[in-house]
Amino acid sequence: WYQVNRGNKIHWRLLGTGEFGTGANMAYRRSVFDDIGFFDPALDVGTVTNGGGDLEMFFRVVKEGHTLVYEPSAIVRHRHRRDYAKLRTQITNNSIGLFSYCIRSLFAYPDECLSFLWILLWWIVYWNLRRLWLGFKNPTRFPQDLILAEFKGCFTGLTRYHKARHTAAEITQSFGNQERKTEVDINSVPYPIFSDHIFPALTKEEIPRIKTNPGIAVRTVDLREPLQALTDVKEYSSVRVFVKWHDHLLGSVDIANPDRGISKNRLIEVIVNQFGHKLLELDLNFSRDYCQTQALSILTNHYKFTDKETDLLTCLPDTIPVSIIIATYDRPQDLRRCLCSLVAQKSTRQLEIIVVDNHPASGWTPPVVAEFPDVVLVSESRQGLAYARNAGFVASTGDIVIATDDDVTVPPDWLEKLIAPFARPDVMIVTGNVLPLQLETLAQQCFENYGGLGRGFERLEVNGDWFESFSHQPAPTWELGATANAAFRASIFSHPKIGLMNEALGPGMPSGVGEDTYLFYKVLKAGYTLVYEPSAYVWHKHRTEMAELHRQLYNYSKGHVAYNLTTWLQDGDWRGLVQIVLGLPLAHLSRIYQRLRGWSDYPISLIWLEMTGNLAGVWSLWQSHMRVKREGRIAKVTGSRE
């Protein structure tokens, strides 16, 4: 399945549309020609371009927002050239047709110009010159005369389309108005560059447009139940499907949805393609095709998988008490939803829930907490997430302390999955996955493209050895999770080398963020273990407005610099300085390059916003330290809880 939203750029590799199929076996919905026009008469056999008509039509169908499907079960048999000379001619013509199609399209779609130039260069260098060299070393592998014939066609094709276009214009003029009345005029393609002879532009009102919601629908499927078609997503342009098996989250997959829902067969296909190995847990010596074939058979026929023990960790004893800290700042509705999901946890252990009101003057939080009699309310008037969380840590009584946000909701089995790794005494922190609750707006989608809060679906374990393994760059603690979903062994807060969160870092302070990543840093530097457990996931409500997203990303960018400066100034770790001076500029340049090449959808405006935030990081950290100096720090935890 190939589909992009109308007007979006296509990845350059897909511009070689020969991988979509061939004109010898293709079918079209008639209405697509009303939208994008007929085949270009200046391309294909019978013209001097000798081909490319099917490639160009495939490209135009996808570029204009329609869906192209390759269906391998629809088989035809083709009689290839029997004569070697005819084969050589055909290969030359194929290359001429490809280059003619690319020349035509890079002028018709200026936004894809660089991508088409890149694929032409790739074709000459990688496909031809590389194989020519391989053929020189091993003449029996690639016949050199065929490679040279194709290479010749590349340069011939650079000029053939211009000639064919004028010939087609002369033919059109000679026939006048003799086209069949039942056909749409061939001059229906809205490309102003060809309007002089062949392609007069339609008005905007005459061009049918696909009406799709630019949002991304979020759905979850459980493979223990028979899969069903997703019929409630017709208005969305894309669907993000989270796939579960035995309460284990396998991962997510995005499915293009051109305005008509996701069929059961297509859902099976994408799940098998994405998770075939995970579903079967086969030996890696098996081929990918074999794994996919077996998984497809299982899902299609609704066979049941063999039950296996998926939890390889020893469960944490029920006698270990747990505290959950939720810091909130005037978001009563979000807080209410969060608390409802927390009190519904399937756990028999002693559970303490503490809400820290970081703006008690407003009076918005106490009425919500009063709806939950067993929830403890703590007030902390000094604004800043680190202040609020530290106040909760100090007030807590559990041996395991969990931090989460007021804008998340959790599934009923979240708690026990998150704390299970603490059965090992070396584990001091466990982080979990953070999934988007909605992807309805552009701001929510941009935040996920930025990186979101989740860290993937593969379990990860790091310790002091991992921390020291980065010799010339800082250990990327920001890739280990976030305190929207994190648990801590309470004893670390009284540890002389760790302690509470640094109040000069984090949301609510000028520095922006970094309080959690710096706590991860200190724990790993002390030689302890951090486990990322993706099966312990929560749903996070992303910002819905672009203005909110801009503030959030600006604060993230300030905070990243503030965090790395802190590791340098307080811990003498020069790797943080390297990240600021070299790592960040190179990362931004790389992302700008990827955007310009069409390999990324992340807006350059947001990259520029991040760069300005990085520049403000030094001043923001100084402001934060001055504020903490005025308002004081929260007293450290003096007792020890084993």
Side-chain angles (χ1 to χ4, degrees):
W1 296 70
Y2 304 95
Q3 193 264 346
V4 299
N5 290 334
R6 185 191 293 265
N8 286 5
K9 296 190 69 175
I10 302 175
H11 192 282
W12 71 271
R13 287 188 178 275
L14 295 182
L15 298 183
T17 51
E19 67 179 79
F20 295 170
T22 174
N25 188 10
M26 59 183 180
Y28 292 85
R29 192 182 298 274
R30 179 183 293 273
S31 59
V32 76
F33 301 120
D34 298 335
D35 185 18
I36 69 174
F38 289 116
F39 285 85
D40 186 344
L43 292 173
D44 233 313
V45 179
T47 73
V48 293
T49 60
N50 294 299
D54 50 357
L55 305 181
E56 190 277 330
M57 181 57 81
F58 294 161
F59 163 74
R60 206 182 333 149
V61 165
V62 175
K63 179 66 177 177
E64 294 299 325
H66 300 287
T67 301
L68 187 151
V69 178
Y70 171 70
E71 179 48 67
S73 64
I75 299 172
V76 300
R77 299 188 180 276
H78 181 265
R79 190 181 69 179
H80 297 342
R81 303 297 189 273
R82 298 184 179 183
D83 182 83
Y84 192 81
K86 291 181 179 179
L87 170 64
R88 187 165 50 245
T89 301
Q90 182 191 22
I91 289 179
T92 302
N93 289 339
N94 287 346
S95 191
I96 293 174
L98 171 66
F99 272 61
S100 297
Y101 141 64
C102 291
I103 294 298
R104 187 249 195 227
S105 299
L106 69 85
F107 285 109
Y109 291 89
D111 63 317
E112 300 284 3
C113 180
L114 290 177
S115 296
F116 273 109
L117 291 175
W118 181 256
I119 198 170
L120 291 178
L121 180 62
W122 178 90
W123 188 266
I124 291 173
V125 175
Y126 183 82
W127 185 252
N128 286 290
L129 291 180
R130 181 186 66 90
R131 293 200 305 160
L132 190 62
W133 170 248
L134 293 175
F136 175 77
K137 294 196 301 180
N138 187 359
T140 61
R141 184 176 180 187
F142 294 116
Q144 291 191 8
D145 60 329
L146 295 184
I147 300 174
L148 290 172
E150 192 170 25
F151 193 55
K152 174 185 176 183
C154 295
F155 296 97
T156 305
L158 293 174
T159 59
R160 287 289 181 88
Y161 180 74
H162 180 73
K163 180 179 179 180
R165 187 165 69 89
H166 285 286
T167 302
E170 294 173 358
I171 294 174
T172 301
Q173 291 176 355
S174 67
F175 275 81
N177 296 321
Q178 296 180 21
E179 292 88 348
R180 289 190 302 162
K181 294 181 180 180
T182 57
E183 292 183 346
V184 177
D185 187 355
I186 200 167
N187 299 333
S188 61
V189 184
Y191 305 141
I193 189 169
F194 302 127
S195 61
D196 54 344
H197 294 297
I198 303 178
F199 300 113
L202 293 176
T203 65
K204 183 177 181 181
E205 292 71 24
E206 291 175 316
I207 302 175
R209 294 297 180 189
I210 299 174
K211 298 179 180 179
T212 57
N213 186 332
I216 301 175
V218 177
R219 298 293 183 268
T220 303
V221 299
D222 192 333
L223 297 184
R224 292 176 299 177
E225 303 295 333
L227 294 177
Q228 303 294 333
L230 303 180
T231 58
D232 60 339
V233 295
K234 292 184 178 181
E235 68 273 20
Y236 294 93
S237 61
S238 182
V239 182
R240 179 161 299 175
V241 179
F242 290 93
V243 182
K244 293 175 59 179
W245 168 250
H246 270 297
D247 296 326
H248 177 66
L249 198 64
L250 298 178
S252 68
V253 59
D254 287 355
I255 309 175
N257 180 41
D259 203 25
R260 53 178 170 271
I262 308 299
S263 69
K264 179 178 125 180
N265 287 341
R266 189 177 179 204
L267 190 59
I268 290 174
E269 177 186 340
V270 296
I271 290 175
V272 169
N273 287 339
Q274 187 79 1
F275 308 112
H277 282 76
K278 287 186 177 181
L279 292 174
L280 294 173
E281 298 181 359
L282 293 175
D283 189 290
L284 292 178
N285 290 325
F286 285 106
S287 70
R288 179 178 178 85
D289 289 342
Y290 177 79
C291 294
Q292 292 181 340
T293 301
Q294 296 302 311
L296 182 61
S297 174
I298 291 171
L299 287 181
T300 303
N301 295 289
H302 304 297
Y303 294 163
K304 293 297 182 180
F305 292 97
T306 302
D307 289 339
K308 295 184 178 179
E309 182 61 46
T310 57
D311 186 5
L312 302 179
L313 297 171
T314 304
C315 294
L316 191 67
D318 289 345
T319 56
I320 304 297
V322 174
S323 299
I324 302 178
I325 312 299
I326 309 109
T328 187
Y329 189 102
D330 294 349
R331 291 197 289 202
Q333 294 181 355
D334 291 338
L335 177 62
R336 183 178 291 108
R337 284 192 292 267
C338 178
L339 290 175
C340 286
S341 65
L342 289 175
V343 299
Q345 287 299 294
K346 296 178 181 178
S347 177
T348 58
R349 72 180 66 251
Q350 178 184 336
L351 180 62
E352 176 186 54
I353 301 176
I354 298 176
V355 172
V356 183
D357 184 0
N358 203 209
H359 190 208
S362 69
W364 286 13
T365 299
V368 177
V369 176
E371 300 174 16
F372 303 87
D374 296 329
V375 175
V376 178
L377 178 64
V378 173
S379 296
E380 176 52 62
S381 59
R382 290 171 290 188
Q383 293 183 12
L385 186 57
Y387 271 121
R389 282 185 172 151
N390 284 346
F393 295 155
V394 171
S396 66
T397 61
D399 292 339
I400 305 298
V401 183
I402 298 175
T404 189
D405 291 342
D406 56 5
D407 54 359
V408 307
T409 54
V410 301
D413 58 350
W414 161 75
L415 174 63
E416 293 300 325
K417 288 182 177 179
L418 183 65
I419 64 176
F422 286 110
R424 284 170 40 193
D426 61 310
V427 175
M428 293 292 157
I429 300 178
V430 180
T431 61
N433 206 351
V434 183
L435 307 178
L437 179 65
Q438 296 175 326
L439 292 173
E440 302 277 344
T441 68
L442 178 61
Q444 293 171 328
Q445 296 166 31
C446 285
F447 184 66
E448 277 297 293
N449 291 336
Y450 168 79
L453 296 174
R455 294 299 177 261
F457 301 94
E458 297 295 331
R459 193 173 186 273
L460 177 66
E461 182 176 316
V462 297
N463 53 26
D465 292 337
W466 176 86
F467 178 83
E468 297 294 343
S469 67
F470 297 88
S471 56
H472 302 296
Q473 61 185 29
T477 55
W478 52 89
E479 296 178 359
L480 301 177
T483 41
N485 187 14
F488 307 90
R489 199 179 295 273
S491 58
I492 68 171
F493 301 125
S494 59
H495 193 289
K497 295 184 178 180
I498 302 175
L500 295 169
M501 289 183 169
N502 188 327
E503 287 97 345
L505 301 174
M509 298 296 288
S511 58
V513 296
E515 82 294 349
D516 47 3
T517 51
Y518 188 51
L519 185 57
F520 299 165
Y521 175 94
K522 291 190 291 182
V523 167
L524 294 172
K525 184 180 179 182
Y528 295 111
T529 300
L530 181 151
V531 174
Y532 172 68
E533 180 52 66
S535 65
Y537 61 90
V538 301
W539 300 99
H540 181 263
K541 181 182 176 184
H542 294 348
R543 307 294 190 273
T544 58
E545 302 295 332
M546 288 301 294
E548 296 174 329
L549 176 66
H550 288 169
R551 287 194 296 272
Q552 186 179 21
L553 296 188
Y554 183 71
N555 286 330
Y556 280 11
S557 303
K558 290 193 301 180
H560 188 70
V561 170
Y563 157 72
N564 282 287
L565 275 177
T566 301
T567 64
W568 177 50
L569 296 173
Q570 295 194 9
D571 299 89
D573 193 338
W574 59 270
R575 296 177 298 179
L577 189 61
V578 172
Q579 174 71 0
I580 296 172
V581 176
L582 292 178
L584 285 174
L586 291 176
H588 291 317
L589 289 175
S590 175
R591 296 168 74 197
I592 291 173
Y593 176 74
Q594 292 177 10
R595 174 61 176 173
L596 293 176
R597 293 299 311 278
W599 299 345
S600 168
D601 295 330
Y602 194 71
I604 290 182
S605 60
L606 293 184
I607 299 176
W608 174 251
L609 178 70
E610 293 178 50
M611 295 169 66
T612 57
N614 293 153
L615 293 174
V618 178
W619 170 250
S620 299
L621 180 62
W622 185 84
Q623 287 181 305
S624 295
H625 277 293
M626 292 298 100
R627 181 170 153 186
V628 171
K629 187 176 181 180
R630 291 193 306 269
E631 300 185 359
R633 296 185 180 275
I634 290 181
K636 294 183 179 181
V637 178
T638 56
S640 62
R641 284 172 281 186
E642 295 299 332

